[in-house]
């Protein structure tokens, strides 16, 4: 059993208001919260925030120490720390918070002893039960009761991130004393835990909430219903659920899986709330089956737009991958390639941002594109001349389908694409060269057409280059 921090009343805290009435009563149990009974979201948020390599190191994160040292030397001050969870636990148990070399040396010795005597699970459990959360609160159980009036086992991802934001500076990041500071740090933690696909669906739904609410307030009920329908069937079911399947079934990353499950549950429950005015009975049944925190969907809070859930970069990145997937599926359909037939996909782009986008989304991109392997590179080195190509803005995806593809068919397809792009370029150039259009059209519309011109021009160059190679 892990060593317990001797803090008087740490598990029996009682707080009184100015009228001497009890407004907070800490947990009654003298036993610390068992790690198995603490919200997995809070465990993930704490490890991600405090010590990402907690399960890999022996008490000290050498890479983190070197990185922090370089940053601090360059700045001439202590901007970044490198203490692991084990080191912080040792400090909480046995030492003061003095910033002296003697205290740091003792911390190292105690850390070695703790790592030698206890498992990672015991160390993490002890640490979570000894953290200070401001307002006289020690340990995650009392913190959960104090801030959210619920046990630590029932914390949501958002609540877990809120608590995980506090220990770095309990007073500075207290959600009561400094809510804005806490919110900013909480959002950083969420971004660390969520993947691009999670941010994309949250951002898309955030936009839908705003638009649907505006439509309903203007009594545009049909328009609102169509937007809800499109989001649930297209964005959520057709895309996001397919994106997270590899994480849920083919990955051992528990943090990623928990983030995906939280995102799925959050978006689905809130989508049911938008749908409730149109389908009251079935949404009530599904809502009550999926969760137990709220009594009924009829009295639950209506979803609200939040700037914190607007992720423009992630939306753009996922749309880039979606465009590539659509192109690959269209080609495979034209060539009658069965979905069971997997093939390598090679993403070529001179843009580092686009390469990073496909690197981060490689797991679900491979699944959606029926790829057995995904390579990402800046040039065409090693790509066969007979490889099939999918052209998207800023990149080309090559697929070595030589044994499945008729070269003549590929040339014909590219010629059709060239003809289509010629038509689009003629249309855009015609609009931009029309003085009446330029003088009367809104500035935003003109900029939109200019962006299309740049996009189609780049795609045309890529198509012509590919045709030249094949011919």
């Amino acid at each position: 059993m892990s060593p317990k921090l001797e803090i008087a009343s740490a598990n029996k805290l009682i707080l009184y208001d100015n009228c001497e009435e009890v407004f907070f009563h800490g947990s009654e149990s003298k036993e610390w919260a068992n790690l198995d009974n603490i919200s997995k979201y809070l465990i993930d948020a704490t490890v991600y925030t405090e010590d990402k390599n907690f399960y890999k190191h022996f008490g000290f994160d050498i890479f983190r120490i070197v990185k922090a040292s370089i940053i601090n030397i360059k700045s001439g001050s202590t901007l970044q720390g490198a203490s692991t969870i084990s080191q912080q636990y040792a400090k909480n148990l046995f030492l003061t918070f003095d910033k002296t070399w003697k205290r740091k040396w003792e911390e190292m010795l105690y850390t070695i002893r703790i790592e030698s005597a206890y498992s990672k699970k015991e160390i993490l459990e002890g640490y979570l039960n000894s953290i200070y959360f401001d307002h006289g609160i020690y340990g995650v159980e009392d913190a959960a009761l104090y801030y959210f009036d619920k046990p630590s086992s029932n914390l949501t991802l958002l609540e877990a991130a809120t608590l995980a934001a506090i220990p770095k500076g309990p007073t500075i990041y207290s959600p009561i004393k400094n809510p804005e500071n806490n919110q900013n740090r909480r959002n950083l933690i969420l971004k660390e835990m969520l993947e691009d696909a999670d941010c994309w669906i949250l951002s898309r739904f955030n936009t839908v909430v705003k638009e649907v609410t505006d439509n309903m307030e203007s009594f545009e009920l049909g328009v609102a219903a169509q937007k809800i329908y499109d989001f649930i069937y297209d964005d959520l079911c057709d895309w996001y659920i397919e994106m997270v399947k590899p994480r849920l079934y083919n990955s051992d990353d528990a943090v990623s899986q928990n983030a995906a499950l939280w995102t799925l549950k959050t978006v689905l429950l809130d989508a049911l709330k938008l749908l409730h005015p149109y389908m009251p009975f079935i949404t009530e049944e599904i809502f009550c089956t999926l969760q137990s925190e709220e009594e009924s969907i009829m009295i639950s809070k209506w979803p609200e737009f939040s700037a914190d859930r607007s992720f423009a970069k992630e939306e753009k990145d996922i749309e880039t991958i979606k465009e590539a997937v659509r192109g690959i599926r269209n080609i495979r359909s034209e060539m009658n390639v069965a979905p069971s037939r997997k093939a390598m996909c090679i993403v070529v782009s001179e843009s580092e941002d686009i390469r990073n986008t496909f690197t981060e989304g490689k797991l679900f991109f491979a699944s959606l594109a029926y790829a057995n392997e995904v390579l990402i590179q800046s040039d065409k080195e090693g790509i066969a001349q007979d490889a099939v190509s999918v052209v998207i803005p800023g990149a080309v995806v090559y697929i070595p389908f030589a044994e499945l593809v008729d070269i003549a068919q590929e040339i014909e397809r590219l010629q059709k694409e060239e003809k289509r792009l010629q038509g689009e370029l003629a249309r855009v150039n015609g609009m931009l060269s029309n003085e009446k259009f330029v003088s009367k059209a809104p500035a935003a519309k003109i900029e939109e057409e200019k962006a299309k011109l740049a996009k189609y021009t780049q795609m045309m160059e890529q198509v012509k280059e590919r045709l030249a190679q094949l011919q």
Side-chain angles (χ1 to χ4, degrees), residues 5 7 10 32 38 42 45-47 50 85 88-89 92-93 97 123-134 136-143 163-170:
L5 177 62
I7 300 177
W32 286 7
I38 298 174
L42 182 55
T46 301
V47 173
E50 303 292 338
I85 284 176
Q88 293 179 60
Y89 185 36
N92 290 344
L93 282 174
F97 290 85
I123 293 171
L124 183 57
E125 178 183 307
Y127 176 71
L128 288 170
N129 280 282
S130 64
I131 314 175
Y132 181 55
F133 287 94
D134 204 33
I137 305 296
Y138 285 88
V140 294
E141 191 66 23
D142 276 352
L163 289 187
I166 300 174
K168 181 178 177 66

Side-chain angles (χ1 to χ4, degrees), residues 110-316:
Y110 281 121
T111 299
I112 293 172
R113 290 177 60 186
I114 288 175
E115 283 279 342
S116 301
Y118 300 100
S119 68
K120 289 290 187 180
K121 181 179 178 180
E122 290 175 315
I123 293 171
L124 183 57
E125 178 183 307
Y127 176 71
L128 288 170
N129 280 282
S130 64
I131 314 175
Y132 181 55
F133 287 94
D134 204 33
H135 307 284
I137 305 296
Y138 285 88
V140 294
E141 191 66 23
D142 276 352
L145 290 170
Y146 181 79
Y147 288 108
F148 301 110
D149 194 26
K150 60 170 64 173
S152 61
S153 58
N154 292 343
L155 293 172
T156 67
L157 179 60
L158 198 64
E159 293 165 343
T162 299
L163 289 187
I166 300 174
K168 181 178 177 66
T171 300
I172 297 173
Y173 295 108
S174 165
I176 295 176
K177 293 178 180 177
N178 294 293
E180 186 174 346
N181 289 350
N182 179 274
Q183 183 175 330
N184 291 337
R185 180 161 170 75
R186 179 201 70 189
N187 292 340
L188 288 175
I189 294 171
L190 286 174
K191 284 293 294 293
E192 282 286 317
M193 299 177 67
L194 297 176
E195 298 191 10
D196 284 357
D198 306 325
C199 294
W200 168 74
I201 195 66
L202 289 169
S203 188
R204 281 287 302 119
F205 183 68
N206 199 37
T207 301
V208 170
V209 166
K210 185 177 186 302
E211 293 178 355
V212 166
T213 302
D214 291 343
N215 291 144
M216 286 188 170
E217 290 177 350
S218 301
F219 298 100
E220 299 169 342
L221 303 184
V223 176
Q226 187 62 49
K227 289 179 179 178
I228 299 169
Y229 176 91
D230 291 342
F231 172 79
I232 293 176
Y233 279 88
D234 186 19
D235 294 330
L236 182 58
C237 296
D238 284 352
W239 284 104
Y240 182 69
I241 289 178
E242 295 302 319
M243 288 177 185
V244 299
K245 279 182 180 178
R247 290 162 60 188
L248 295 176
Y249 301 114
N250 302 327
S251 172
D252 296 327
D253 189 340
V255 175
S256 178
Q257 291 174 342
N258 291 338
L261 289 171
W262 175 83
T263 305
L264 276 169
K265 182 178 179 181
T266 299
V267 173
L268 179 55
L269 291 177
D270 281 348
L272 289 173
K273 294 176 183 179
L274 295 185
L275 193 59
H276 181 65
Y278 301 94
M279 304 174 67
F281 299 110
I282 191 169
T283 51
E284 174 73 18
E285 184 69 23
I286 296 173
F287 183 83
C288 292
T289 300
L290 289 177
Q291 57 82 49
S292 58
E293 291 85 6
E294 296 181 270
E295 183 180 352
S296 168
I297 195 172
M298 292 185 290
I299 55 176
S300 63
K301 186 179 180 182
W302 181 261
E304 294 179 350
F305 173 84
S306 172
D308 295 337
R309 290 193 181 180
S310 292
F311 303 108
K313 179 184 179 301
E314 285 76 10
E315 280 203 59
K316 180 182 177 183

Side-chain angles (χ1 to χ4, degrees), residues 232-460:
I232 293 176
Y233 279 88
D234 186 19
D235 294 330
L236 182 58
C237 296
D238 284 352
W239 284 104
Y240 182 69
I241 289 178
E242 295 302 319
M243 288 177 185
V244 299
K245 279 182 180 178
R247 290 162 60 188
L248 295 176
Y249 301 114
N250 302 327
S251 172
D252 296 327
D253 189 340
V255 175
S256 178
Q257 291 174 342
N258 291 338
L261 289 171
W262 175 83
T263 305
L264 276 169
K265 182 178 179 181
T266 299
V267 173
L268 179 55
L269 291 177
D270 281 348
L272 289 173
K273 294 176 183 179
L274 295 185
L275 193 59
H276 181 65
Y278 301 94
M279 304 174 67
F281 299 110
I282 191 169
T283 51
E284 174 73 18
E285 184 69 23
I286 296 173
F287 183 83
C288 292
T289 300
L290 289 177
Q291 57 82 49
S292 58
E293 291 85 6
E294 296 181 270
E295 183 180 352
S296 168
I297 195 172
M298 292 185 290
I299 55 176
S300 63
K301 186 179 180 182
W302 181 261
E304 294 179 350
F305 173 84
S306 172
D308 295 337
R309 290 193 181 180
S310 292
F311 303 108
K313 179 184 179 301
E314 285 76 10
E315 280 203 59
K316 180 182 177 183
D317 290 346
I318 296 299
E319 290 301 328
T320 297
I321 294 179
K322 285 173 63 180
E323 189 163 352
V325 170
R326 290 191 192 100
I328 292 170
R329 288 179 174 180
N330 287 339
I331 285 180
R332 292 176 65 102
S333 177
E334 290 173 10
M335 298 175 179
N336 295 316
V337 180
S340 58
R341 185 71 181 240
K342 308 296 182 183
M344 178 189 296
C345 287
I346 307 170
V347 181
V348 177
S349 176
E350 295 180 357
S351 168
E352 185 178 356
D353 289 340
I354 292 179
R355 294 199 303 272
N356 290 338
T357 293
F358 280 91
T359 299
E360 292 172 5
K362 183 185 287 189
L363 184 63
F364 71 80
F365 173 65
S367 176
L368 296 176
Y370 309 113
N372 54 17
E373 184 179 4
V374 177
L375 300 180
I376 300 159
Q377 54 195 59
S378 59
D379 53 41
K380 304 173 192 173
E381 184 180 353
I383 299 175
Q385 288 292 318
D386 60 354
V388 179
S389 60
V390 175
V391 179
I392 62 173
V396 180
V397 182
Y398 293 94
I399 311 170
F401 274 171
E403 72 279 9
L404 302 173
V405 177
D406 186 336
I407 299 299
Q409 278 187 341
E410 174 64 359
I411 292 175
E412 183 182 354
R413 186 189 68 79
L414 285 170
Q415 287 173 338
K416 288 180 180 179
E417 178 70 0
E418 182 181 30
K419 186 176 180 180
R420 184 187 73 82
L421 289 171
Q422 285 173 347
E424 292 291 350
L425 285 168
R427 181 189 64 79
V428 175
N429 281 318
M431 293 179 69
L432 293 175
S433 62
N434 187 321
E435 293 183 3
K436 290 184 179 180
F437 171 78
V438 175
S439 61
K440 294 182 179 180
K445 178 63 176 175
I446 294 174
E447 289 301 318
E448 180 183 339
E449 293 302 321
K450 286 182 178 179
K452 288 181 181 178
L453 177 61
K455 171 184 173 181
Y456 294 140
T457 300
Q458 183 188 41
M459 292 176 70
M460 176 63 84

Side-chain angles (χ1 to χ4, degrees), residues 2-22:
S2 52
K4 300 298 189 289
L5 177 62
E6 296 297 333
I7 300 177
S9 302
N11 291 309
K12 295 180 289 184
L13 183 67
I14 301 175
L15 300 179
Y16 298 86
D17 59 20
N18 292 335
C19 298
E20 297 187 359
E21 296 288 335
V22 175

